[in-house]
Amino acid sequence: MLSKTKGVIAAGHPKTAEAGRLMLELGGNAFDAAIASMFASFVVESVLTSAGGGGFLLAHTQEKEDLLFDFFCQTPQQQKPLSEIEFVPIALNFGGALQIFQIGKGAIAVPGALAGAFKVHQKLGKLPFKEIIEPAIEYANQGFILNEFNDFTYQLLEPILLSHPDSQNVYAPTGKLLSQGEISYQKDFAQTLKLIAKKGIQEFYEGEIAHQIVQDLSEGGHLTLEDFKSYQVIIRKPLKINYRGYQLLTNPPPSSGGTLIAFALKLLETIDLEQIEWGSCEHITLLSQIMQATNAARTNHYDDAIYQSSLAQEFLAESNLQFYRQQLQKNGNKWGSTTHISVMDEFGNAASVTTSNGEGSSYMIRGTGIMLNNMLGEADLNPKGFHQWQPNQRLSSMMSPSLLLKNGKPELSLGSGGSNRIRTAIFQVISNYIDFHLPLESAVNYPRIHWEDNILDLEPLNCLKVKKDLVSSKGTRINHWDRPNMFFGGVHTAKLSNTDKLEGVGDTRRSGVAIYS
C-alpha cells in the first residue's frame, strides 16, 4: 500500500476538492488528485463543466518537466449551411451585466475532456484509473446536497437546463428546478463512468455513445463520426515568460488567454509600483489602461494570426510591446461556465487544470447524463464572428491554467473560470501577489476590475475617494457592482512555499474551497 501524500487542492466545490484529497490519502500524486477532482466537478459543478466539454491541464513534475495537455474542443471537419443547423441565442443576466450566448445542436464542437483525462493519467498518474473515478461515481449515484452557489448557477442557466427532456430529468426531476438544500442525483452519468472505466475511452469516441451523438446531431448539428474518431489530445510546451524574478508558465497559442496575460504583465513590468497604493485611483486607472492596451493589441496583431507557429514570439516581442508601453506613458500623463482546480503535492508536482462546457448546448446525450458543449456559440471563442471557424482546428480559448515558478520550483498553481474575464482575473491575482506582496487569501479575494468594449466594471472598493475621483478614458462607461460576483472569475490557487509549507485559497466569488491532505 502506498503511503499518504501531503498536498493541497483548491477548487470550486468542497466535493471537487475532496475527491482530490482522497487520491492523495491513497498515495497518489498531484495529477491523480487533479483528474479525480476533474471528474468530480463533472457531477457537482455540472453546469460549469462537463465530460462533454474540454479544457487544459498544465503540469510541472517533480522531475522538472513542464507539459501543457490541450484537450479543448475541436471544430467539426465539415460545416453545414446555416439553414440546416440549430443555433439559438439566449441572454443570461448576472445582476450587473447581460451577456448573450448561442446554444443548440449547431453550437456543439468536438468534446475533449474525457480524452484529456485519460491522456494525463496515462502519462503522469500513479493510481489505477478505476480508483480515480470512484469519488465521482459515488457522488453521482448517492447524490449530493446543492449549496448556495449550485442554486445560483442552476437559476442562471434555467432556460438551458430545462429545454431538453434528458436534462430536465437531472435538474428538475419533479418538474421544478432543484434548489439549495435538495439532493441531486446523476445516476445515468455514474453508469456512463463505469462503462468507460471498463471499456476504455474509445467507447465515447468510437462506440455506442459516439454513434448516438452523431445520430442525434444529424439534423441540426455539424458533428460526424469521423470528428470523434480523429480527435487527439495535444501535448504542448507551455508559454514561458519572466516577471519580476518569477517564471510564469501558461497556456500557449492557439489559445489566447495565456498570451494575453503574458502581454499585460510585460506592460506592467516596466512600471514602478512601489509608490502606488493598492486600490487607489492611480492603481485602478493603470490596470484599466493595461487592459485596454492588451485588447487593442489582440485586435491588431493576434486574432488574425492564431494558427501561426511564431505568434507568441512575435506578439511578445519587444518591438510590439514598446509601442503599447508608449501609449501607456501618454495616457498616464462572462460569466463563463468554466471551473478551475489547482493541486500541489509535497514532492513538487503541480497541476493547474481548467475545464469548461461553455453554457452547455442544452443537448444531453440520451441515457448518459452528459450535456455537450456550446463552444461554437461562445463569442469570446469566435472573435471574428460566429460561423467563421476553420474546419478541424482547435478553438482558441481564454482558459489559462498557469504556474508561477521561483528558482525553478513551483510556488503557485492558479487559473480561473469567467469567459473573457479569465485573463484579467489571473493577471490581477499575479500582480497582487508579486507586486503588492499581498497574502494569498487577499491576492485572490480582493476586489477586481475588468475593462472591455468601453465598459469598466468595478467590484466594490472601500475607498469612497476612488468612486468619486476615478476618471476613465474618453468613451468609457464605469459600472460599479454592489458586491463581488462570479462575473469576475474564480481564481482557485494552491501554493508551495520555499519552506515546503502548503497553502490553498478558493475564490469566494465561486464558493471556492481549499482542502489539505
Side-chain angles (χ1 to χ4, degrees):
M1 180 178 175
L2 297 171
S3 58
K4 172 183 171 181
T5 302
K6 291 181 181 178
V8 59
I9 307 100
H13 192 284
K15 287 192 174 296
T16 299
E18 175 66 14
R21 186 191 68 80
L22 290 171
M23 297 307 106
L24 297 176
E25 295 281 352
L26 291 171
N29 60 21
F31 310 112
D32 294 316
I35 301 167
S37 291
M38 181 173 143
F39 274 103
S41 72
F42 295 160
V43 179
V44 299
E45 302 178 62
S46 64
V47 300
L48 301 179
T49 185
S50 168
F56 306 88
L57 187 147
L58 177 59
H60 176 87
T61 71
Q62 62 191 90
E63 293 82 20
K64 301 190 182 303
E65 185 177 20
D66 300 317
L67 303 168
L68 188 286
F69 292 82
D70 177 347
F71 47 93
F72 197 50
C73 299
Q74 186 95 348
T75 59
Q77 296 186 22
Q78 297 180 347
Q79 186 171 15
K80 290 182 180 178
L82 300 186
S83 59
E84 296 181 15
I85 65 167
E86 181 184 79
F87 200 74
V88 183
I90 189 167
L92 300 181
N93 191 337
F94 292 86
L98 194 70
Q99 197 167 355
I100 306 295
F101 302 94
Q102 309 288 329
I103 65 170
K105 296 177 181 178
I108 301 171
V110 189
L114 290 174
F118 269 76
K119 177 65 77 172
V120 174
H121 176 260
Q122 180 185 50
K123 190 164 182 66
L124 300 177
K126 286 175 62 179
L127 299 175
F129 189 78
K130 289 180 69 174
E131 289 189 23
I132 288 175
I133 64 168
E134 192 56 41
I137 292 173
E138 180 182 340
Y139 301 159
N141 253 334
Q142 302 300 318
F144 67 98
I145 299 173
L146 297 183
N147 63 22
E148 183 179 4
F149 189 65
N150 289 134
D151 187 292
F152 174 76
T153 55
Y154 279 28
Q155 290 184 43
L156 189 65
L157 295 176
E158 182 174 5
I160 299 174
L161 303 181
L162 300 186
S163 64
H164 193 279
D166 289 316
S167 62
Q168 287 181 28
N169 290 337
V170 173
Y171 298 106
T174 63
K176 181 183 177 183
L177 193 70
L178 291 171
S179 60
Q180 183 178 358
E182 294 186 291
I183 300 176
S184 173
Y185 298 94
Q186 297 182 28
K187 294 183 180 292
D188 283 347
F189 186 52
Q191 294 305 311
T192 301
L193 288 179
K194 290 179 181 178
L195 180 67
I196 290 173
K198 180 179 179 181
K199 293 192 174 182
I201 195 64
Q202 63 272 16
E203 183 63 22
F204 184 85
Y205 287 92
E206 299 182 32
E208 290 184 15
I209 297 176
H211 283 83
Q212 179 71 63
I213 297 170
V214 171
Q215 178 183 328
D216 290 349
L217 268 57
S218 60
E219 293 185 7
H222 298 287
L223 299 185
T224 66
L225 196 58
E226 187 56 37
D227 288 319
F228 281 85
K229 287 182 177 179
S230 61
Y231 184 86
Q232 296 290 323
V233 177
I234 302 172
I235 301 178
R236 305 184 190 275
K237 291 182 178 180
L239 175 65
K240 300 180 181 182
I241 68 158
N242 293 318
Y243 182 73
R244 302 193 197 270
Y246 285 82
Q247 184 178 53
L248 171 70
L249 276 59
T250 190
N251 202 1
S255 284
S256 303
T259 308
L260 297 177
I261 292 169
F263 188 88
L265 288 171
K266 281 298 182 184
L267 292 183
L268 186 61
E269 188 175 38
T270 58
I271 298 171
D272 183 4
L273 298 175
E274 289 296 324
Q275 304 305 314
I276 296 179
E277 181 184 357
W278 189 97
S280 64
C281 289
E282 188 177 6
H283 180 219
I284 301 302
T285 301
L286 175 62
L287 290 180
S288 67
Q289 289 175 349
I290 286 175
M291 291 174 191
Q292 291 179 55
T294 303
N295 280 13
R298 178 189 181 189
T299 300
N300 295 334
H301 306 289
Y302 195 92
D303 286 340
D304 288 331
I306 283 172
Y307 298 107
Q308 292 182 11
S309 59
S310 60
L311 173 58
Q313 293 88 335
E314 293 177 7
F315 189 71
L316 296 172
E318 278 299 313
S319 56
N320 190 39
L321 286 164
Q322 190 56 35
F323 172 81
Y324 292 97
R325 285 171 181 155
Q326 290 171 355
Q327 301 306 306
L328 274 179
Q329 291 169 2
K330 290 178 183 177
N331 290 336
N333 271 7
K334 197 169 199 261
W335 168 265
S337 290
T338 309
T339 195
H340 182 79
I341 301 159
S342 290
V343 188
M344 301 185 84
D345 69 29
E346 62 181 305
F347 304 115
N349 294 306
S352 181
V353 53
T354 312
T355 61
S356 178
N357 201 37
E359 276 53 53
S361 62
S362 82
Y363 163 72
M364 187 169 275
I365 311 164
R366 198 175 313 162
T368 66
I370 298 174
M371 182 182 288
L372 291 185
N373 65 84
N374 70 319
M375 298 304 184
L376 301 181
E378 291 279 309
D380 60 305
L381 305 188
N382 298 270
K384 307 307 289 183
F386 294 126
H387 317 300
Q388 303 302 312
W389 42 266
Q390 297 180 34
N392 202 30
Q393 297 279 359
R394 277 296 198 273
L395 282 162
S396 180
S397 171
M398 282 299 150
M399 291 194 284
S400 311
S402 301
L403 297 171
L404 276 179
L405 275 60
K406 185 78 168 179
N407 300 322
K409 180 180 177 180
E411 185 167 317
L412 284 191
S413 171
L414 73 166
S416 181
S419 191
N420 274 346
R421 280 82 59 197
I422 289 174
R423 67 182 188 272
T424 56
I426 296 171
F427 163 65
Q428 288 171 86
V429 171
I430 290 174
S431 179
N432 288 346
Y433 182 77
I434 296 177
D435 297 323
F436 293 94
H437 314 292
L438 295 180
L440 192 58
E441 178 78 36
S442 301
V444 169
N445 288 312
Y446 266 23
R448 294 189 194 128
I449 76 166
H450 179 76
W451 186 97
E452 187 174 5
D453 295 334
N454 289 322
I455 299 174
L456 176 59
D457 285 290
L458 286 164
E459 284 191 313
L461 289 162
N462 293 328
C463 181
L464 294 176
K465 186 176 180 353
V466 169
K467 293 183 179 181
K468 179 182 176 183
D469 296 347
L470 183 64
V471 178
S472 61
S473 57
K474 186 177 180 181
T476 293
R477 177 170 66 86
I478 299 178
N479 184 25
H480 290 284
W481 291 64
D482 62 1
R483 67 190 65 183
N485 192 281
M486 65 178 295
F487 177 84
F488 294 88
V491 187
H492 309 312
T493 307
K495 176 181 178 180
L496 181 65
S497 72
N498 56 8
T499 59
D500 292 332
K501 179 184 177 182
L502 291 158
E503 181 182 357
V505 174
D507 196 322
T508 56
R509 295 168 185 83
R510 296 194 174 210
S511 294
V513 299
I515 292 180
Y516 300 84
S517 168

